[in-house]
Amino acid sequence: MPMLDIKNLTLEIDTPMGWVSALDKVSLSIDTSEIRALVGESGSGKSLIVKSIVGAIPERWRVTADRMNWKGNDLLGMSGNQRRAITRNEISVILQNASAALDPSATLREQIEESIPSYRLTKGWFWQRRQQRLDIAIQELHRVGIRDHNLCLSSYAHQLPEDICQKFSIAMALVSKPKLLIADNPTVGMETTTKVQILKLLTKLNKTQGLSVLFVSHDLLAIAAMANTMTVLYCGQTVESGSIEQVKRRPLHPYTKALLDSAPSFRRDLPPKSPLSCLDGTIPTLQHLPIGCRLGPRCPRAQRECVKMPATRHIHGHSYACHFPLHRDKP
Amino acid sequence: MLIAIARRLNLLIITLFILCLASYVLAFLFPGDALTNLSGIPALSADQSHQLQLMYALNEGWFSGFWTYLKLTLNGDWGVSLNSQTPIFEDILKLLPASLELSLYAMVISLVVGLPLGVLAGLKHRSYTDMSILSVSLTGFSFPVFWLSLLLILIFSLQLGYLPMSGRISLLFDIPHSTGFILVDILRSEMPVKDAALFDALRHLVLPTLSLSIVTTALVIRLIRRSVVTVYASDFIKAAYTKGLSHSQVFWRHGMKNALLPIMPQLAMQFTVLLTNAMIVEVIFSWPGIGEWLIQAIYQRDFPAIRGGMLAVSAVVVTFTISVELLVRILYPLNKRQFYAQT
Ligand SMILES: Nc1ncnc2c1ncn2[C@@H]1O[C@H](COP(=O)(O)OP(=O)(O)OP(=O)(O)O)[C@@H](O)[C@H]1O
Ligand code: SF4
Ligand SMILES: [Mg+2]
């Protein structure tokens, strides 16, 4: 049984034009000690999925799902307290835009210390606990590669550069020793060596402590290097998911293919100076969503049937939602 | 930080200086003799007039004239009132505390009532609670102060007869003047009927304070509600919840601080609105404060008094505003860019 199991998650948000479903029947599952990548272009709703999982969305938005289970317990049905207990002890999340997710009027020390779960504090007296909290915080900061812990802990979020804030958020997410880490673009904008450090750390935690990761990113190379499985999202719909090798070798959905082709460094066979490929047009806005398969207007293979939402089909753990998948129609 | 303090102090001094300059120039722009406008003494004989000219250094050019005026002003020699021939500065010192007292109590009430209601409305954004608090505050906000005061007098003093309609305290009590704040004065005095006097003073305070504070309470509610709504929609509150903090932990550790600190200057600004409204209320309730005095002076074309009163009131307002801003700057660790963008 997967640890996190989401089936047909639909998120409706109210815009000035009325209610629109920003996420439409999204399915996603994460097994124990699996690294799953979630990819899709900007505005496809990756962050919305992350926020729906941890409940960080405005109360008036409507979330419905056939299943949204954490270790067999329904996340949507449980009380706020139960849900917070899970996010405190078992799931950690790094929201996109790390510095905005930090309280501007509290020092980073206060913020990381309040994330330390009480079971990590073994000492009895409060001054001993105080010291222990500080020690844990420092240790955690060193792990993500923040050397100058004193400066970092005594600063406010706005005083530090964005990449330190990102690393700090990662440290803060890891301090509670979660089972699942949800990281929304954790390495965006970092320079390569720092990025590799972070990716290495996550991989190591995955290998040694069985940490599962939901890794949201635009960085296909990083994903190919560390993830086991990947889910491709387009405009609030899951279009394809499967193991990295399967998806990379034989993308079934036209969007996945376009996405993979659009990353030149990802294609070994690309001759120098050949034209780069990409899909025409841009992702539709929430106000102008096409009916049926949302890729329709941009899809090179679209036909009349595509105005109906294609059902998700599974072959060997590889699933896709398309009426006319690639590779399949050849005899 | 030191630079910020220095900047504010600089601003304070320059503003006060400009106020003095303006009040000096006014004396020449007002109708009548500039000398009379400055001193408040109607020139009787050529000899007296000459003496005054020497005192204000009027014939030594405008610069040394102003310099002399500045020195006199700082020494507390603001001339005398045309009508009563009493020194203006002492009058103001006696009357200003009464106005400040009234505004202060109204401010305290506005905050005590407005803060919880505003926070509640903000937390329950778009619910019925929010709507009702908002509509009540909108109603309160739309009352003209003078109309509200008259209405309150009509109901509580004339119809029901519960509360007195004018003055600070019944004439039966003779309160020695020391601080000018009547409640403080009563408590410090050694009267045999202290309790009765205190009760009477409180009864006199109710209606003016109420009519002053209703409008400000409405404003405070709206300010705080907006701020709470913005803060609660922000990412860091969501992030605090995902850390597993409870509602009250998020509220006390992250919510309140971020909602209140940025609007402190605006909240403090309400005090100056109060002071302005207090002038109207003072006239209606015959409250012996600076506002009533100033308006009397305007009626009687008592130019020295008008000049002094305006100088005093604006100096209080400016000093207050700048000190609050400084205080917030010390408390609130925002970077400069954000800070200037906000104010
Ligand atoms: N608070 C909001 N109110 C209204 N619409 C929103 C809100 N947040 C997101 N959206 C919309 O939902 C869609 C998905 O946004 P989301 O932030 O999930 O994209 P994303 O895949 O994370 O993009 P990126 O890769 O740039 O982070 C976008 O069209 C966006 O405009
Ligand atoms: S269902 Fe149709 S429009 Fe959608 S991806 Fe497949 S071929 Fe393209
Ligand atoms: Mg995003």
Side-chain angles (χ1 to χ4, degrees):
Chain A
M1 187 180 64
M3 195 152 64
L4 180 70
D5 185 13
I6 299 174
K7 176 109 190 283
N8 289 347
L9 169 72
T10 299
L11 173 70
E12 286 170 285
I13 68 183
D14 62 339
T15 62
M17 327 281 290
W19 290 88
V20 289
S21 42
L23 296 178
D24 185 28
K25 303 219 170 112
V26 171
S27 298
L28 182 80
S29 73
I30 302 170
D31 275 320
T32 314
S33 50
E34 169 184 348
I35 299 186
R36 179 173 286 271
L38 183 60
V39 294
E41 64 195 277
S42 268
S44 53
K46 304 182 298 293
S47 301
L48 290 180
I49 294 188
V50 169
K51 289 183 178 169
S52 330
I53 295 175
V54 294
I57 47 173
E59 271 167 34
R60 60 178 192 283
W61 290 3
R62 303 188 200 133
V63 192
T64 46
D66 290 353
R67 239 193 350 255
M68 185 147 151
N69 289 354
W70 171 255
K71 293 183 171 168
N73 303 317
D74 181 21
L75 280 174
L76 292 178
M78 64 178 58
S79 74
N81 277 338
Q82 284 170 312
R83 197 161 174 185
R84 275 201 297 279
I86 290 179
T87 48
R88 178 166 58 239
N89 300 323
E90 299 180 286
I91 305 181
S92 278
V93 62
I94 303 163
L95 294 179
Q96 193 170 19
N97 201 349
S99 57
L102 296 170
D103 184 339
S105 69
T107 59
L108 296 191
R109 176 170 173 184
E110 293 168 47
Q111 301 188 48
I112 194 170
E113 287 191 353
E114 81 185 357
S115 295
I116 299 176
S118 46
Y119 69 82
R120 286 192 74 174
L121 300 172
T122 47
K123 307 264 172 60
W125 298 98
F126 69 89
W127 63 87
Q128 290 175 317
R129 281 170 173 256
R130 216 179 112 82
Q131 185 58 40
Q132 202 182 12
R133 277 208 189 87
L134 185 60
D135 291 341
I136 294 177
I138 292 174
Q139 178 195 337
E140 218 55 56
L141 288 185
H142 285 174
R143 231 166 28 142
V144 296
I146 296 180
R147 290 275 155 266
D148 197 348
H149 53 257
N150 284 332
L151 178 71
C152 178
L153 287 177
S154 60
S155 301
Y156 294 93
H158 65 80
Q159 295 169 327
L160 295 172
E162 182 70 26
D163 64 325
I164 302 278
C165 287
Q166 282 171 311
K167 286 194 215 171
F168 176 81
S169 309
I170 298 172
M172 198 160 73
L174 291 177
V175 80
S176 60
K177 302 219 162 147
K179 304 274 181 300
L180 169 66
L181 176 71
I182 302 176
D184 193 349
N185 260 334
T187 58
V188 69
M190 287 185 180
E191 33 100 12
T192 324
T193 47
T194 328
K195 190 165 79 185
V196 172
Q197 267 179 6
I198 298 291
L199 297 181
K200 265 191 171 162
L201 172 72
L202 293 185
T203 320
K204 197 181 100 196
L205 288 174
N206 172 256
K207 294 263 158 56
T208 57
Q209 297 174 10
L211 172 77
S212 311
V213 183
L214 177 62
F215 190 74
V216 181
S217 180
H218 294 282
D219 187 349
L220 289 173
L221 274 181
I223 288 170
M226 67 180 275
N228 311 116
T229 52
M230 98 183 214
T231 297
V232 183
L233 201 68
Y234 179 78
C235 203
Q237 296 177 330
T238 28
V239 296
E240 183 161 5
S241 76
S243 73
I244 289 281
E245 295 79 35
Q246 277 173 328
V247 175
K248 226 169 94 176
R249 205 178 52 238
R250 244 165 62 114
L252 293 176
H253 197 280
Y255 179 70
T256 318
K257 175 143 176 47
L259 189 73
L260 297 180
D261 285 348
S262 67
S265 51
F266 208 57
R267 291 170 60 188
R268 301 262 160 66
D269 54 339
L270 201 67
K273 301 222 170 155
S274 57
L276 298 177
S277 74
C278 68
L279 279 184
D280 292 337
T282 52
I283 193 163
T285 58
L286 289 181
Q287 285 77 25
H288 303 99
L289 290 176
I291 52 165
C293 175
R294 289 183 178 174
L295 188 62
R298 296 172 74 189
C299 181
R301 301 169 68 84
Q303 294 180 32
R304 186 174 312 152
E305 284 84 341
C306 300
V307 295
K308 283 219 189 68
M309 181 61 207
T312 308
R313 270 170 278 179
H314 306 267
I315 344 152
H316 310 305
H318 188 165
S319 59
Y320 62 93
C322 177
H323 291 296
F324 308 102
L326 305 152
H327 299 294
R328 294 242 92 204
D329 45 9
K330 283 186 222 134
Chain B
M1 183 45 71
L2 273 179
I3 296 179
I5 297 177
R7 282 177 65 137
R8 294 296 137 86
L9 281 182
N10 202 6
L11 186 67
L12 179 67
I13 290 169
I14 290 181
T15 320
L16 289 179
F17 179 81
I18 291 177
L19 278 176
C20 286
L21 187 63
S23 74
Y24 184 64
V25 173
L26 270 186
F28 293 88
L29 296 181
F30 279 146
D33 183 19
L35 212 50
T36 315
N37 287 343
L38 279 174
S39 63
I41 303 166
L44 299 173
S45 59
D47 189 34
Q48 229 173 354
S49 166
H50 184 66
Q51 227 176 7
L52 281 178
Q53 275 215 342
L54 278 185
M55 178 173 157
Y56 282 97
L58 273 191
N59 40 14
E60 293 168 35
W62 63 269
F63 182 78
S64 64
F66 175 60
W67 183 244
T68 319
Y69 171 75
L70 204 60
K71 275 196 285 193
L72 285 173
T73 307
L74 288 182
N75 277 334
D77 187 348
W78 291 23
V80 295
S81 155
L82 267 183
N83 284 80
S84 60
Q85 293 293 313
T86 47
I88 292 173
F89 190 65
E90 269 143 52
D91 278 358
I92 290 178
L93 273 193
K94 220 158 70 198
L95 295 171
L96 198 57
S99 298
L100 287 181
E101 187 179 29
L102 193 60
S103 315
L104 188 72
Y105 297 152
M107 189 76 198
V108 170
I109 290 188
S110 309
L111 286 181
V112 167
V113 177
L115 192 79
L117 284 183
V119 170
L120 187 69
L123 290 181
K124 306 243 177 244
H125 187 40
R126 294 192 187 199
S127 67
Y128 284 112
T129 325
D130 181 27
M131 297 298 172
S132 24
I133 292 179
L134 201 63
S135 35
V136 168
S137 104
L138 192 68
T139 322
F141 183 55
S142 335
F143 285 140
V145 177
F146 68 90
W147 181 79
L148 191 69
S149 330
L150 291 177
L151 197 72
L152 288 177
I153 291 186
L154 200 67
I155 297 175
F156 290 102
S157 311
L158 298 181
Q159 292 270 326
L160 299 173
Y162 290 158
L163 294 164
M165 58 180 274
S166 71
R168 278 180 109 182
I169 190 159
S170 159
L171 294 175
L172 293 174
F173 301 101
D174 184 25
I175 310 295
H177 179 96
S178 63
T179 58
F181 285 78
I182 193 143
L183 295 187
V184 180
D185 279 356
I186 292 176
L187 287 177
R188 281 168 50 141
S189 69
E190 268 125 41
M191 298 198 312
V193 283
K194 228 168 165 175
D195 292 346
L198 200 61
F199 184 65
D200 192 60
L202 283 177
R203 270 164 43 97
H204 277 83
L205 262 173
V206 173
L207 286 187
T209 318
L210 201 64
S211 36
L212 260 183
S213 54
I214 284 181
V215 175
T216 328
T217 311
L219 276 169
V220 167
I221 290 180
R222 290 151 66 84
L223 264 177
I224 291 180
R225 172 181 172 273
R226 185 94 299 272
S227 180
V228 169
V229 168
T230 326
V231 166
Y232 265 74
S234 64
D235 263 2
F236 65 87
I237 291 290
K238 299 274 185 306
Y241 275 118
T242 63
K243 282 182 182 179
L245 302 184
S246 66
H247 281 300
S248 64
Q249 279 171 324
V250 170
F251 179 77
W252 291 114
R253 291 195 201 159
H254 302 287
M256 263 315 87
K257 209 158 117 197
N258 288 295
L260 289 188
L261 279 175
I263 55 166
M264 285 283 261
Q266 278 143 293
L267 282 181
M269 226 47 110
Q270 300 311 315
F271 187 73
T272 58
V273 176
L274 263 181
L275 211 57
T276 329
N277 281 341
M279 304 218 172
I280 303 168
V281 170
E282 278 170 16
V283 174
I284 294 173
F285 286 96
S286 315
W287 186 266
I290 184 99
E292 204 222 12
W293 179 79
L294 196 57
I295 285 171
Q296 288 303 326
I298 292 174
Y299 273 138
Q300 294 163 354
R301 294 163 189 267
D302 188 344
F303 294 116
I306 298 177
R307 186 173 48 82
M310 290 203 305
L311 187 60
V313 172
S314 37
V316 167
V317 168
V318 168
T319 316
F320 183 79
T321 318
I322 293 183
S323 351
V324 169
E325 218 174 87
L326 199 60
L327 193 71
V328 173
R329 183 75 178 78
I330 292 170
L331 287 177
Y332 195 41
L334 264 190
N335 56 0
K336 274 196 203 116
R337 210 159 5 112
Q338 270 168 307
F339 190 75
Y340 289 121
Q342 268 182 1
T343 45

